[in-house]
Amino acid sequence: MQKAILLIDYLNVSQKALNNFSHQGDKAIDISFKDQGISNLKAPFTGTIKRIYDKVNVVWLQSNEKVMYADGTIDYMTIMTMHDNDVRDLYVGKIIKQGEVYYQEGTKGNATGNHIHLSVGKGKFTGNGWYENSSGNWCINNQYDVHKALFLDNSTTILNSGGYNWIRSSTQNEDTTNTTTYKVVKNDNLTNIAKKYSTTVDELVRLNNIQNKNLIKVGQALKVPNKLNYFKKYTGNSLSIVDALKSIGELSTYDYRGKIASINGINNYKGTSTENTKLLNLLKNGSLIKP
């Protein structure tokens, strides 16, 4: 499972969400970069382009698999970007890998100065991708706070955070999937292996850096996702991960929480409020993996 990461060299939030200007009622933010030039945005996850609206070069990119949000949510994610001056290299159905440059800041449409209008939708792409709100602004469907959805890469220099508490990721390509090894046997192909392990061909290709998905060899060792076990969903009101675990009859010691954190993508667990909140959110969503 990938973390969804805002992969840019410099962060300059030039317009916040839900303000009284063009973002009224809209959780989108405008991001600029170091200067007035044209800078690149890399894909925050491996995904597929679902729609392009060329009047202002709006592009919707949906994750191919569920991803980890910065606040601990596990779900599909759709991001919408606007104002790139030229998107002729993009098309609906194109797969973009995490870390691949696919969008640039620009001024296409009603934009002042080079920037990217960026918004996040929780879940898969739905409908035509957006709706017009009561203020006349076009918002992504199922809009979600950008800073709660996207980690910020450790290498990004913050020029203006917008006042948001961005959560740094430990590494761009960190894989939080719990995997085991499978050896290819005669008559195997990625489709039947994916079915056996309740995953997808794209995920197997990503996990194993496979260049030709139609070419695997007998005896080849492949990483495959474990069939994961999850904790029972917590439905109480406690703000404590310790109390929440106890209430569902689970061990809640510090050492055990460290094991839980590790398998859920939180390395070097220290028991901080931020870490515990992530674990609690996963438990509430029914998506906290058991070690």
Side-chain angles (χ1 to χ4, degrees), residues 96-111:
I96 311 293
K97 292 184 178 181
Q98 185 183 46
E100 180 181 347
V101 173
Y102 82 106
Y103 207 82
Q104 291 79 35
E105 59 179 324
T107 56
K108 178 73 172 180
N110 185 22

Side-chain angles (χ1 to χ4, degrees), residues 194-206:
K195 185 176 181 179
K196 185 182 297 184
Y197 285 90
S198 301
T199 186
T200 64
V201 170
D202 285 341
E203 179 68 358
L204 292 177
V205 167
R206 184 185 70 80

Side-chain angles (χ1 to χ4, degrees), residues 10-265:
Y10 294 89
L11 174 66
N12 178 16
V13 179
S14 53
Q15 187 177 175
K16 297 178 63 174
L18 302 172
N19 68 8
N20 292 321
F21 188 48
S22 59
H23 292 182
Q24 189 167 2
D26 186 0
K27 291 187 175 182
I29 63 172
D30 287 347
I31 55 173
S32 302
F33 298 82
K34 187 177 182 181
D35 49 39
Q36 296 301 310
I38 303 293
S39 295
N40 297 321
L41 173 69
K42 299 174 184 177
F45 45 70
T46 297
T48 301
I49 294 176
K50 307 301 288 186
R51 186 188 177 199
I52 298 174
Y53 179 67
D54 57 12
K55 184 175 182 180
V56 285
N57 286 348
V58 185
V59 173
W60 286 260
L61 179 70
Q62 177 201 291
S63 65
N64 287 346
E65 305 290 340
K66 290 183 178 181
V67 297
M68 178 179 286
Y69 288 53
D71 65 2
T73 297
I74 305 293
D75 202 343
Y76 288 90
M77 183 184 294
T78 303
I79 66 167
M80 184 179 83
T81 48
M82 189 184 304
H83 299 316
D84 190 335
N85 293 322
D86 187 356
V87 295
R88 287 176 295 177
D89 58 325
L90 303 178
Y91 55 86
V92 173
K94 183 173 184 178
I95 296 175
I96 311 293
K97 292 184 178 181
Q98 185 183 46
E100 180 181 347
V101 173
Y102 82 106
Y103 207 82
Q104 291 79 35
E105 59 179 324
T107 56
K108 178 73 172 180
N110 185 22
T112 302
N114 290 319
H115 69 277
I116 295 173
H117 177 96
L118 172 68
S119 54
V120 172
K122 184 175 184 292
K124 294 184 176 182
F125 178 90
T126 59
N128 65 357
W130 57 1
Y131 66 95
E132 186 177 13
N133 69 13
S134 59
S135 299
N137 296 319
W138 286 89
C139 309
I140 192 170
N141 291 340
N142 306 313
Q143 58 178 325
Y144 205 86
D145 292 308
V146 175
H147 68 288
K148 293 181 180 178
L150 297 174
F151 291 91
L152 189 65
D153 189 61
N154 274 339
S155 66
T156 299
T157 299
I158 298 178
L159 301 178
N160 181 357
S161 69
Y164 299 119
N165 181 27
W166 295 93
I167 300 174
R168 297 275 191 175
S169 69
S170 56
T171 175
Q172 172 181 330
N173 295 313
E174 180 174 358
D175 194 330
T176 59
T177 305
N178 183 28
T179 61
T180 188
T181 300
Y182 173 81
K183 285 193 175 182
V184 176
V185 298
K186 187 177 180 180
N187 297 324
D188 260 343
N189 56 55
L190 290 185
T191 299
N192 62 37
I193 296 172
K195 185 176 181 179
K196 185 182 297 184
Y197 285 90
S198 301
T199 186
T200 64
V201 170
D202 285 341
E203 179 68 358
L204 292 177
V205 167
R206 184 185 70 80
L207 283 174
N208 295 279
N209 296 314
I210 294 172
Q211 301 302 312
N212 184 348
K213 64 183 180 182
N214 297 312
L215 183 61
I216 56 175
K217 299 179 180 179
V218 172
Q220 182 177 351
L222 296 178
K223 288 182 181 179
V224 293
N226 274 335
K227 293 185 177 180
L228 302 177
N229 291 319
Y230 294 89
F231 287 99
K232 178 182 176 182
K233 186 175 182 179
Y234 174 63
T235 58
N237 297 317
S238 176
L239 299 179
S240 166
I241 184 62
V242 173
D243 291 342
L245 286 170
K246 287 180 179 178
S247 75
I248 60 172
E250 298 288 350
L251 190 65
S252 60
T253 64
Y254 178 84
D255 287 344
Y256 188 58
R257 281 183 280 126
K259 293 178 181 179
I260 297 172
S262 179
I263 201 171
N264 285 275

